[in-house]
Amino acid sequence: MSIKVLDGKRFAEMVIKGANQLSNNAKLVDALNVFPVPDGDTGTNMNLSMTSGAKEVKSNVQEHIGKVGSALSKGLLMGARGNSGVILSQLFRGFSKAIEHKDQINGIEFANALEAGVETAYKAVMKPVEGTILTVAKDAAKNAVLVSKKHDDIIVIMEEVLSEAKASLNRTPDLLPVLKEVGVVDSGGQGLVFVYEGFLAELKDEELPQASTSGPSLEELVSAEHHKNVQSHINTEDIEFGYCTEFMVKFEEAKLAEHPFNEESFRQDLSNHGDSLLVIADEQIVKVHIHSEQPGVVLSYGQKYGSLINMKIENMREQHTNIVGETKTPLYSEEPPKKKEQVEYGIVSVTMGSGIAELFRSIGANGVIEGGQTMNPSTEDIVKAIKEVNAKKVILLPNNKNIIMAAEQAAELADEEVIVIPSKTVPQGMAALLAFNPSADLSTNEQLMKDALQHVKTGQITFAVRDTTIDGLEIEKDDFMGIADGKIVVKSKEMVSTGKELLDTMLDEDSEILTVIKGEDASDKDVQEIVEYIESNYEDIEIEVHDGKQPLYSFIFSIE
């Protein structure tokens, strides 16, 4: 059997089978990502993202492969959840862009499209780190290009793509120390391998293969969450392009006569001035997001084509912080939308637990999306929330590091003026929201709210799902762990004693306010014991208690 050309109908079946294979193995991908905190969600996020893409493809099956690719790109973009889902959407966004005008493609065009997808995905990440899904995609695409020069059979090319993807996946522990420390491969890369397995099975007209992994069994698999792997290796001084620059150019005929606009040339020229480039254009406007070291140069370039509007520049070096961070399919939890007048500001917050959702509403959030560590809201969920608040200016609070990329993607798609405050925890989100000034302009509020992130400490109490060693700390299954700003610092067999010990490591002479947020597995007695301990040992600390009803985390502590 040989396939020399690929049309839209066959490609649609590849996508559907790839989505099915990923769905069948989503729990295994999650298991690679358990940490030991039970918050593994890479498989869940990739599965939901790919399922959204496949659903859009099913509604647009046709012979023209370019149009099927565009449907896949649209579905993935709107369904992208978490960092892994966003990166997956970018891989196929670039792939689809490369074939958008083609009725069918041959082996060389298929290989080149895979490589185009890798280029797009790398641009979407501020500081790409090797040993992740990006590496697996890059190595597989590079091999595809080499093989396509010798073989015109797309089945042979796809076999080599999968073979190299698996080999690259097995090399990820050599590139990321945290993977080697706990003895696993990268979870996002494993998810991509499953997608490619589905592609090949469809091309060969075979049943989907059974999942197989080298190394630990499913029960033994642990790893740091994918985006933590990436960001934990970034130091502020390593940020090459320090200014997040966003603007729109409203085309002017006189300027276009002198400088005709071509989206690809425009994108290529801008790519020489930074990374994380996103360009979206129509007949009237082009919208740009770029991380650059010289934002003035970028703005001047854009001005060649028209007038600048909606400009925003952020100094990312000042805002760079550490990372950490459930539930059913996230539902937008506002009251059913009512016809209401548009307001100046709207604040949308992502929360976990009905008590935390109510807390955010009480301090000023107009809309709440209930989601969290093991079920991130999609780009589409966030876009919907932006629409529902019906505001001219919208501020997004992700409150989870794994939701920030989806929030930024939603901000790019929204018609409203939207900014993302990169809150990585519930306490950071609360601090940012309390810093909001409704009488200030958006730029001032952005600075105020981002500054507030730096002045709060986050503590969390959760439990381990397996035995492991993290940062030299021996952890046994069912141990309670105390996490301070993303790092496991204490552990014990008992919840309350773990909480006390964690607070002892976090409270200092500068601490003034402790907010205790009770999770669904903590009792009122547990809360009272912690409060009494603080009152007896830290008499100058003001204490507030809220029932957050959050899953997974027995307690969340906010210290200001």
Side-chain angles (χ1 to χ4, degrees):
M1 181 180 178
S2 175
I3 297 177
K4 300 298 177 67
V5 294
L6 189 64
D7 63 18
K9 288 186 176 179
R10 193 61 180 262
F11 180 61
E13 292 302 319
M14 289 171 62
V15 170
I16 293 167
K17 214 156 190 176
N20 288 341
Q21 180 68 346
L22 178 59
S23 178
N24 292 343
N25 296 285
K27 288 185 178 179
L28 190 151
V29 179
D30 278 342
L32 282 165
N33 175 223
V34 197
F35 191 51
V37 181
D39 60 1
D41 59 0
T42 295
T44 300
N45 287 333
M46 294 185 75
N47 176 34
L48 291 170
S49 303
M50 195 67 190
T51 298
S52 177
K55 181 179 179 181
E56 191 70 24
V57 165
K58 287 179 183 177
S59 301
N60 291 276
V61 176
Q62 54 189 293
E63 294 285 350
H64 194 287
I65 193 170
K67 293 180 180 178
V68 174
S70 295
L72 172 62
S73 179
K74 177 184 176 183
L76 276 167
L77 181 67
M78 297 309 295
R81 298 171 187 265
N83 302 302
S84 52
V86 171
I87 291 173
L88 187 67
S89 75
Q90 294 301 305
L91 284 171
F92 286 106
R93 177 175 180 264
F95 178 96
S96 300
K97 190 72 175 175
I99 64 171
E100 63 179 339
H101 300 302
K102 301 183 185 296
D103 293 323
Q104 57 187 24
I105 59 175
N106 58 30
I108 290 177
E109 291 168 326
F110 176 73
N112 288 340
L114 288 173
E115 194 162 58
V118 170
E119 292 172 3
T120 299
Y122 264 83
K123 289 176 182 176
V125 178
M126 184 181 73
K127 185 86 172 174
V129 171
E130 301 305 329
T132 68
I133 181 176
L134 290 170
T135 304
V136 175
K138 178 183 67 176
D139 291 347
K142 186 179 296 185
N143 197 43
V145 172
L146 291 174
V147 174
S148 69
K149 294 175 181 178
K150 302 176 182 178
H151 301 278
D152 60 0
D153 186 350
I154 294 176
I155 292 180
V156 173
I157 296 170
M158 193 65 232
E159 286 176 335
E160 292 301 317
V161 166
L162 179 58
S163 176
E164 180 57 29
K166 289 180 176 179
S168 179
L169 178 67
N170 288 332
R171 293 193 295 266
T172 57
D174 296 326
L175 299 174
L176 270 184
V178 68
L179 298 178
K180 179 165 284 189
E181 181 181 359
V182 292
V184 295
V185 295
D186 177 67
S187 54
Q190 179 68 76
L192 184 63
V193 165
F194 286 133
V195 172
Y196 287 166
E197 284 182 347
F199 282 10
L200 182 59
E202 171 55 34
L203 288 172
K204 298 175 75 172
D205 197 24
E206 295 177 348
E207 295 297 318
L208 289 172
Q210 293 294 313
S212 62
T213 60
S214 58
S217 66
L218 175 59
E219 293 75 19
E220 297 171 327
L221 292 173
V222 294
S223 170
E225 192 277 328
H226 171 74
H227 193 54
K228 178 168 185 169
N229 291 354
V230 175
Q231 293 293 329
S232 66
H233 287 73
I234 299 173
N235 296 315
T236 301
E237 57 269 22
D238 291 335
I239 298 176
E240 183 178 0
F241 301 106
Y243 296 91
C244 179
T245 306
E246 296 180 12
F247 63 96
M248 298 174 71
V249 179
K250 187 174 182 181
F251 294 136
E252 295 177 357
E253 289 187 10
K255 291 186 176 181
L256 290 178
E258 184 177 354
H259 302 284
F261 180 80
N262 177 278
E263 184 176 345
E264 286 305 315
S265 298
F266 183 86
R267 180 180 289 107
Q268 184 58 46
D269 289 345
L270 283 180
S271 70
N272 295 323
H273 297 287
D275 63 8
S276 292
L277 175 64
L278 177 62
V279 174
I280 303 173
D282 59 20
E283 293 78 14
Q284 298 176 324
I285 268 178
V286 58
K287 185 173 184 179
V288 176
H289 169 280
I290 186 171
H291 295 162
S292 177
E293 192 63 13
Q294 296 179 305
V297 173
V298 173
L299 293 173
S300 295
Y301 175 78
Q303 204 168 10
K304 289 166 53 178
Y305 300 92
S307 55
L308 299 176
I309 58 176
N310 297 343
M311 294 172 285
K312 179 164 70 74
I313 300 173
E314 303 170 352
N315 186 326
M316 295 184 296
R317 293 189 182 96
E318 291 185 358
Q319 297 160 357
H320 182 262
T321 55
N322 293 326
I323 294 175
V324 161
E326 254 145 318
T327 53
K328 295 192 170 190
T329 300
L331 299 174
Y332 183 63
S333 58
E334 278 269 85
E335 292 295 319
K338 300 176 183 178
K339 194 69 176 176
K340 55 185 178 182
E341 291 186 7
Q342 189 177 49
V343 295
E344 187 69 17
Y345 275 112
I347 299 177
V348 175
S349 174
V350 182
T351 66
M352 54 176 179
S354 59
I356 293 178
E358 196 55 43
L359 177 59
F360 270 88
R361 289 192 189 96
S362 72
I363 60 176
N366 308 94
V368 173
I369 307 171
E370 290 196 41
Q373 192 62 22
T374 58
M375 180 61 74
N376 298 155
S378 69
T379 302
E380 188 171 18
D381 291 328
I382 300 172
V383 169
K384 179 183 176 183
I386 291 170
K387 295 290 184 188
E388 291 290 342
V389 296
N390 195 22
K392 297 177 184 176
K393 304 179 183 71
V394 179
I395 300 171
L396 297 178
L397 296 171
N399 302 331
N400 183 320
K401 89 286 187 189
N402 200 36
I403 299 173
I404 291 174
M405 285 184 73
E408 290 173 342
Q409 189 158 264
E412 293 290 345
L413 294 171
D415 296 327
E416 296 78 4
E417 189 174 1
V418 183
I419 63 170
V420 178
I421 305 299
S423 52
K424 299 182 176 72
T425 65
V426 167
Q428 282 192 349
M430 291 168 56
L433 186 50
L434 291 170
F436 171 71
N437 181 355
S439 63
D441 61 29
L442 189 60
S443 178
T444 300
N445 267 311
E446 184 173 22
Q447 191 59 54
L448 288 171
M449 297 175 81
K450 287 184 174 180
D451 286 346
L453 302 182
Q454 318 302 321
H455 302 298
V456 61
K457 295 188 233 178
T458 298
Q460 296 162 305
I461 302 297
T462 188
F463 58 94
V465 295
R466 71 174 305 279
D467 297 346
T468 191
T469 300
I470 298 291
D471 294 329
L473 193 64
E474 297 286 343
I475 298 170
E476 297 180 355
K477 185 177 183 295
D478 297 326
D479 275 354
F480 283 94
M481 298 175 294
I483 304 172
D485 289 322
K487 182 178 176 62
I488 301 173
V489 294
V490 298
K491 58 96 178 183
S492 76
K493 297 294 183 185
E494 201 272 324
M495 177 200 302
V496 173
S497 62
T498 306
K500 293 176 182 177
E501 191 175 350
L502 174 63
L503 288 170
D504 284 338
T505 69
M506 297 182 68
L507 291 168
D508 55 34
E509 59 184 14
D510 296 323
S511 302
E512 298 177 353
I513 302 173
L514 167 64
T515 302
V516 179
I517 303 175
K518 181 173 80 75
E520 60 185 9
D521 66 332
S523 67
D524 291 339
K525 181 181 178 182
D526 295 329
V527 174
Q528 186 60 33
E529 189 174 344
I530 285 179
V531 169
E532 290 176 354
Y533 177 79
I534 298 301
E535 289 176 341
S536 299
N537 293 276
Y538 301 91
E539 57 184 24
D540 295 329
I541 298 291
E542 180 181 339
I543 306 173
E544 296 180 8
V545 178
H546 299 278
D547 187 2
K549 299 182 174 65
Q550 70 272 11
L552 296 181
Y553 295 95
S554 308
F555 287 103
I556 297 175
F557 301 126
S558 172
I559 299 174
E560 301 175 70

